[in-house]
Amino acid sequence: MPAKSTKNPGSRVRDTSTTTPKSKSRSKSSQPKASNSSKPRPKPSPQSTIAQKPKPENLQLEAQQWILDVFCTAFRERFGDVERLRADVQRLKGFLYDRDFGRAFGDEDALEAYSVRWSAARAVAYAGLFVEIGELWEGFRAGRDGERGEGRRKVVCLGGGAGAEVVALWGMGMCGGSGQDGEGRNEREDGDDGEYGDRDCERSDGLDIIVVDIAPWSSILSKLSSTITSQPIPTSSESPEATEGPLTPPGKLAVTFKQSDILFMQHPEMQHICHGAKLVTLMFTLNELYSISIAKTTGMLLDLTGCVGRGCVLVVVDSPGSYSTLALGGGKDGKGNDGASKGGETSGEDDVDGEKEKKKRYPMKWLLDHTLLEVARGERGDEGGRKGERAQQWEKVYSEDSRWFRLKEELRYPIALEDMRMQVHVYRRL
């Protein structure tokens, strides 16, 4: 077991406010309000049986504190002046509210403020989610061909520049895969955990994470990944039994950052990035992409379909009640009708250059289902089936329209964090 360390002061993480950043950067999404229309929702596309019951307490408290402590350690200098950090966070909130993304994500102070304020809580939430649904990708959890200790595992995080996904994946490995009250901690038969412990991430050849984002998050990811792999992580917990976070062995975690706009990524580049991935994530990113262009986002998802192999799992997390608006018949933005116009939630008219333009709004979930479960059929790699039959490319294996993540009162962090609500949709490539 790691040795105890001197406790770092920290406040309780709970914040009863409901303020959420309305980020429209392609790295993080806003949280549009759901429509109040009384019209019926569109019928969902056919899909496989979906599990919807979350498992309680799926990430032990100690691992949750370790995750927060990664951010405390990586950005210790920022936490040295908490009042300045809080001022930077408030300034960032204003930029996000005004959709001034150049200033919101244009300098190091803003990027750090975003990561320490929002990524920390999201990392804890994501880690719990990954543990919960980890059974869906046994090849990812156990290594190549289901054998522990064989093969590096590859994850692609689209829009994950702020670091929450990277730290969450590490946290999932530290938890050992599942269990509450420490059940996921796997000790050696002789009771000795060794220098690094005996957890999932240590029993495989390692984890390769490729992060793609439009904003310049390279230094943020570097600080977080180096914190995980270069030093034991001091704990902020007040529990007398708390230990410092474990050190991941060198070479077990490799994080590569690619600054790119995924809506304009060419197929060869997408194929190079996604080839061999066991897991692809789109966390608080997809609805923002849809708001920019439904047509381009649909094209990106179809390209992704052709670039990942069978068994790859796609995890999509976003704000509940996310909607996107589509202008029918084309407009100044050039989107036009991209073929996803069936089942619109609401409709209306805008005056564009003196002409009325009809618009409809679609739930993000419906657009996603329509693309992966209907449009993607037979797009690439058809095998078997009757002549003229379009093969299904994805199955939907997990879905929740709304779930709460609530931070434990026992957790400690230098600034207040908030509980969060999200929708979750998980697909597996056939």
Side-chain angles (χ1 to χ4, degrees):
M1 294 293 295
K4 292 184 180 180
S5 66
T6 302
K7 307 297 186 294
N8 293 330
S11 61
R12 294 183 182 274
V13 298
R14 186 63 55 84
D15 186 345
T16 56
S17 68
T18 57
T19 304
T20 306
K22 296 187 177 182
S23 167
K24 299 297 283 187
S25 160
R26 296 184 198 178
S27 61
K28 299 293 161 191
S29 173
S30 63
Q31 302 187 16
K33 294 182 179 180
S35 168
N36 294 323
S37 171
S38 60
K39 295 184 179 181
R41 293 182 179 273
K43 294 182 179 180
S45 304
Q47 59 193 40
S48 59
T49 301
I50 301 169
Q52 293 185 330
K53 296 284 186 180
K55 300 174 184 177
E57 304 296 335
N58 48 42
L59 186 67
Q60 56 181 306
L61 183 64
E62 185 178 38
Q64 295 181 41
Q65 185 63 61
W66 285 343
I67 288 171
L68 295 180
D69 291 339
V70 168
F71 289 88
C72 291
T73 304
F75 303 107
R76 62 167 66 90
E77 293 182 2
R78 293 306 308 272
F79 287 118
D81 188 346
V82 174
E83 291 306 316
R84 178 189 170 194
L85 176 58
R86 288 171 176 163
D88 287 343
V89 168
Q90 290 302 317
R91 181 169 57 94
L92 179 59
K93 285 182 178 180
F95 293 152
L96 296 175
Y97 183 83
D98 295 335
R99 299 177 56 83
D100 188 348
F101 308 120
R103 298 176 70 183
F105 300 103
D107 62 72
E108 191 75 5
D109 285 347
L111 295 175
E112 287 189 354
Y114 189 98
S115 186
V116 300
R117 174 59 180 81
W118 288 285
S119 294
R122 286 179 176 178
V124 179
Y126 296 168
L129 174 64
F130 291 153
V131 169
E132 178 182 324
I133 63 178
E135 62 195 41
L136 299 175
W137 60 84
E138 289 300 328
F140 171 78
R141 297 212 41 76
R144 188 178 62 232
D145 298 328
E147 297 293 332
R148 292 190 185 275
E150 293 187 12
R152 293 185 68 85
R153 299 167 295 176
K154 181 177 180 180
V155 180
V156 176
C157 302
L158 302 177
E165 292 90 323
V166 170
V167 181
L169 288 163
W170 170 82
M172 179 183 72
M174 290 303 99
C175 186
S178 64
Q180 55 182 340
D181 299 329
E183 291 179 3
R185 299 173 63 182
N186 302 286
E187 298 183 354
R188 300 181 190 274
E189 292 182 1
D190 60 5
D192 181 12
D193 281 349
E195 180 181 1
Y196 300 111
D198 186 22
R199 299 175 174 87
D200 269 3
C201 64
E202 278 78 54
R203 289 177 295 185
S204 74
D205 286 344
L207 183 63
D208 293 318
I209 305 176
I210 299 178
V211 179
V212 182
D213 206 298
I214 196 172
W217 293 100
S218 179
S219 63
I220 302 299
L221 292 170
S222 178
K223 288 179 180 179
L224 291 170
S225 60
S226 63
T227 296
I228 290 170
T229 58
S230 65
Q231 56 190 312
I233 303 165
T235 182
S236 301
S237 173
E238 296 179 355
S239 169
E241 299 180 356
T243 60
E244 62 186 13
L247 171 64
T248 298
K252 291 295 185 179
L253 176 68
V255 179
T256 303
F257 177 64
K258 172 70 175 178
Q259 187 173 353
S260 180
D261 187 339
I262 59 175
L263 291 185
F264 293 91
M265 185 175 290
Q266 298 299 308
H267 175 71
E269 186 176 13
M270 176 75 81
Q271 191 170 44
H272 175 73
I273 289 172
C274 296
H275 178 73
K278 296 289 187 180
L279 172 67
V280 177
T281 67
L282 276 164
M283 312 297 240
F284 289 96
T285 297
L286 184 62
N287 194 64
E288 165 60 16
L289 297 179
Y290 273 132
S291 71
I292 294 168
S293 172
I294 292 179
K296 286 185 173 64
T297 303
T298 299
M300 181 274 293
L301 291 171
L302 295 178
D303 198 28
L304 176 67
T305 298
C307 293
V308 298
R310 290 182 176 180
C312 177
V313 172
L314 172 64
V315 178
V316 179
V317 170
D318 224 303
S319 305
S322 297
Y323 283 74
S324 291
T325 301
L326 174 66
L328 302 179
K332 295 179 71 176
D333 58 4
K335 295 177 186 176
N337 187 342
D338 61 7
S341 59
K342 293 182 179 180
E345 176 70 7
T346 62
S347 61
E349 292 185 345
D350 285 347
D351 193 337
V352 179
D353 292 338
E355 297 182 4
K356 293 293 183 179
E357 184 182 61
K358 293 184 178 180
K359 292 186 177 182
K360 288 193 175 182
R361 300 181 70 208
Y362 299 88
M364 186 202 77
K365 172 186 173 182
W366 184 87
L367 289 169
L368 182 60
D369 281 351
H370 181 76
T371 300
L372 297 183
L373 304 180
E374 293 295 331
V375 180
R377 281 178 175 266
E379 278 292 317
R380 295 182 178 90
D382 287 359
E383 295 181 11
R386 295 188 299 271
K387 185 177 181 179
E389 182 179 275
R390 296 198 305 158
Q392 187 169 344
Q393 304 296 297
W394 296 90
E395 63 173 337
K396 192 171 187 180
V397 293
Y398 187 95
S399 182
E400 284 187 272
D401 291 339
S402 178
R403 65 181 283 166
W404 273 101
F405 167 72
R406 291 181 170 86
L407 292 152
K408 299 290 185 180
E409 290 288 349
E410 297 88 342
L411 295 172
R412 292 294 180 270
Y413 197 66
I415 62 174
L417 301 176
E418 297 173 359
D419 296 341
M420 59 184 289
R421 194 162 64 99
M422 54 190 171
Q423 59 175 305
V424 181
H425 309 291
V426 184
Y427 305 79
R428 182 164 49 208
R429 183 71 163 87
L430 298 175

